Amino acid sequence: IKAIVVGFLILVLLIPSAFIQGLVQERQERQEQVIAEVSSKWALGQKISGPFLLVPYLTAEKNEKGVVTEVKRNAYFLPEKLLVNGTLFPEIRKRSIYKVVLYKTDLNLSGTFNPLNFSALGINPSAVLWNEVRFCIGLTDNRGIAEQLQLQLDDSAAAMDPDLPANGIASTGVTAIVPQALLNENKSCTFSIRLKLNGSERLYFTPVGKQTQVELKSSYTNASFAGNYLPVTPSNSTNGFNAKWSISHFTRSFPQSWNDEKTGIDEAAFGVELLQGVDSYAKTMRSVKYALLFISLTFCLFFFIEVLQKRTVHALQYVLVGFALSIFYTLLLSVSEYLGFTLAYLIAAAATVTLITAYIKSVFDKWSVAVVFAVFLSVLYGMIYVL
C-alpha cells in the first residue's frame, strides 16, 4: 500500500514540474522578445538578393473587352559572374540580463553583366524603356545600410537610392539608373560596389551569378552555415570562421533572365547564422524534463531506506522532499540568468542536496543514512548534468 501511495505521489509531483516548464518557456519567450526588439532598432537579419538589372518594357495586350492597350512589364537579367568578398564584425549587445548578437559587415560586390539578350525573351528592343533601366540590390532591412552606396559601372559612378521599384525579387533594397550607353554596346558591363551593412543573427546571399563566389570571414566563433548551399571550404575554429562558397547556375532552379513571372531566388539563399549556443533556458528545460527520473529514483531510495531502517515515514515527508527537488529547478533558472548554467547548476544542486540531507538527518536521526542520501543525490545530479 505504501508503495502505491509513493507511486501516486510521484505522479502528483509532476504537476509543479509542469508549472516550472511553463516558467522556463515564459522566460525564454521574454528573451526572444528582447532580441527582436533590439534587432528591430539596429537591423534585422539581412539577405542580399542580387544584384540584378530591372528592364521595363511595353507590350501590347488585350483587355477583357478586347481592346489592345500598352502594358508595362519588367524583364530581369542576372550577372554572368558575381564575386562577394568581405568581413563580418560581430557585436554582443546587452539588454538587462539578455545578450543579443549583432554585426557589421564590410562587403565588396563585383562582377559582370553580359549584353542583354532581348530576343531570348521575345522583347523588341524598341519597346524597352531605356531611361528606366535600373541596377538593383535587394536587402531585407534598409536600416542596416551604414553609409552612402556608390555604384561603379565600367568607368561610370552613380549614387544608389533606396527607392527600389516594385519587382518580383525583393520588396526593399537599393537601386540606381543605368546609363543607356552602357547597355547598347555589344560588350559586357562590369560593376562593383562596397556595401557596409548592419544586421543581426544571420547574413544570407543569393546565387544570382551564372558563377557565384562568396568569401566571408569573421572572428565570431559560434557560427552555423545554413541555407541551400554549404561552403566548399568551411573553416570554423576558436579564432572565428573563413568560409568560401562557389555556386554554378546548374545547381539552382531559375534562369539568367526572365519576364515578369516569379522565381525561386529566395529558396536558393545561403549564408551564415550567428548562434548563441545552447543558452541557459534550453539547458534548464532539458533538466526539467528529467524531473520524473529525479523524483522517482529519490523516492525509491527514500522508500527502501524506510523499509531497511524499519522506520515509518509519513507521506507528507515524501511530498516535502519532492518539493525540495522542485526548488532545484527554480534555483537553476533564476541563478543561471546571471551566472551561467554550469555555476548555477552547481549552486542549485549544492543547496538542494544540503537541504534534503539535513531533512533526512532529522527524519531518521542517523548521519549514516543522511550521508548515503547525500552521495546518492550528488551522483544523480552529476549524471543528469552530463546528460
Side-chain angles (χ1 to χ4, degrees):
I1 293 174
K2 188 62 171 290
I4 293 174
V5 171
V6 171
F8 175 74
L9 291 177
I10 291 174
L11 297 179
V12 170
L13 285 169
L14 290 179
I15 296 175
S17 299
F19 289 154
I20 293 171
Q21 287 193 37
L23 181 61
V24 176
Q25 289 177 346
E26 177 187 336
R27 303 294 293 175
Q28 196 166 21
E29 290 171 0
R30 174 59 182 158
Q31 181 191 40
E32 293 171 355
Q33 291 172 1
V34 170
I35 292 175
E37 179 185 354
V38 174
S39 299
S40 66
K41 295 177 180 179
W42 175 260
L44 302 177
Q46 297 284 9
K47 179 173 63 179
I48 301 174
S49 302
F52 60 92
L53 291 180
L54 181 66
V55 182
Y57 66 96
L58 298 176
T59 180
E61 296 182 7
K62 287 185 179 181
N63 59 21
E64 297 176 354
K65 298 180 180 180
V67 179
V68 178
T69 57
E70 282 191 333
V71 179
K72 185 178 179 180
R73 300 289 185 186
N74 290 325
Y76 301 88
F77 294 88
L78 302 183
E80 179 73 10
K81 180 183 290 186
L82 173 62
L83 303 176
V84 181
N85 188 287
T87 305
L88 183 148
F89 305 97
E91 290 190 11
I92 306 297
R93 297 289 181 90
K94 290 186 177 181
R95 169 69 64 85
S96 183
I97 61 175
Y98 303 108
K99 294 180 180 179
V100 183
V101 182
L102 308 175
Y103 64 79
K104 296 179 179 179
T105 65
D106 188 357
L107 304 173
N108 289 296
L109 282 66
S110 60
T112 59
F113 281 97
N114 279 350
L116 305 185
N117 186 0
F118 293 109
S119 60
L121 301 179
I123 299 174
N124 188 343
S126 62
V128 173
L129 302 176
W130 294 103
N131 60 333
E132 298 182 23
V133 177
R134 291 178 176 266
F135 179 97
C136 304
I137 299 177
L139 301 174
T140 304
D141 193 344
N142 277 7
R143 291 173 301 175
I145 301 174
E147 61 180 34
Q148 176 64 42
L149 302 179
Q150 194 76 10
L151 172 65
Q152 191 74 28
L153 284 172
D154 284 346
D155 297 326
S156 302
M160 302 198 73
D161 298 313
D163 55 337
L164 188 69
N167 63 87
I169 294 181
S171 57
T172 57
V174 292
T175 181
I177 295 292
V178 180
Q180 182 177 351
L182 297 177
L183 301 173
N184 286 342
E185 299 176 2
N186 190 23
K187 69 179 186 65
S188 298
C189 174
T190 63
F191 67 88
S192 64
I193 183 172
R194 186 177 183 183
L195 181 60
K196 290 192 174 183
L197 192 65
N198 299 335
S200 57
E201 296 190 279
R202 66 184 63 86
L203 175 62
Y204 277 28
F205 305 91
T206 51
V208 295
K210 198 169 185 178
Q211 183 66 39
T212 301
Q213 293 182 356
V214 177
E215 182 174 357
L216 187 67
K217 58 183 178 180
S218 174
S219 60
Y220 196 73
T221 57
N222 198 15
S224 172
F225 304 116
N228 206 44
Y229 302 93
L230 292 176
V232 292
T233 55
S235 176
N236 205 343
S237 65
T238 55
N239 297 322
F241 67 85
N242 188 350
K244 298 179 182 179
W245 290 264
S246 182
I247 302 168
S248 169
H249 71 292
F250 291 109
T251 63
R252 58 182 208 208
S253 61
F254 52 90
Q256 284 298 111
S257 60
W258 67 93
N259 290 330
D260 241 342
E261 69 272 6
K262 284 276 189 178
T263 61
I265 286 183
D266 286 343
E267 289 75 11
F270 64 93
V272 63
E273 296 185 356
L274 307 182
L275 305 179
Q276 294 194 51
V278 182
D279 61 19
S280 61
Y281 296 117
K283 292 178 180 178
T284 302
M285 180 62 76
R286 292 178 183 179
S287 300
V288 176
K289 291 179 179 178
Y290 287 103
L292 178 61
L293 178 62
F294 261 111
I295 297 172
S296 299
L297 291 179
T298 305
F299 276 20
C300 286
L301 178 62
F302 203 17
F303 177 75
F304 283 118
I305 290 178
E306 175 188 358
V307 172
L308 293 175
Q309 295 293 319
K310 298 180 181 179
R311 178 78 175 268
T312 302
V313 178
H314 196 276
L316 180 60
Q317 292 173 307
Y318 280 90
V319 174
L320 291 175
V321 172
F323 282 162
L325 294 173
S326 298
I327 288 175
F328 163 78
Y329 298 109
T330 56
L331 278 174
L332 177 61
L333 173 63
S334 57
V335 178
S336 65
E337 290 181 317
Y338 294 92
L339 302 181
F341 181 80
T342 301
L343 185 56
Y345 194 96
L346 180 62
I347 293 173
T352 306
V353 170
T354 302
L355 173 63
I356 295 178
T357 300
Y359 184 68
I360 295 299
K361 168 62 173 60
S362 68
V363 171
F364 292 100
D365 199 24
K366 288 184 179 180
W367 274 110
S368 59
V369 175
V371 170
V372 168
F373 225 98
V375 172
F376 173 82
L377 284 178
S378 299
V379 172
L380 182 59
Y381 278 116
M383 180 187 70
I384 298 301
Y385 178 80
V386 172
L387 289 178

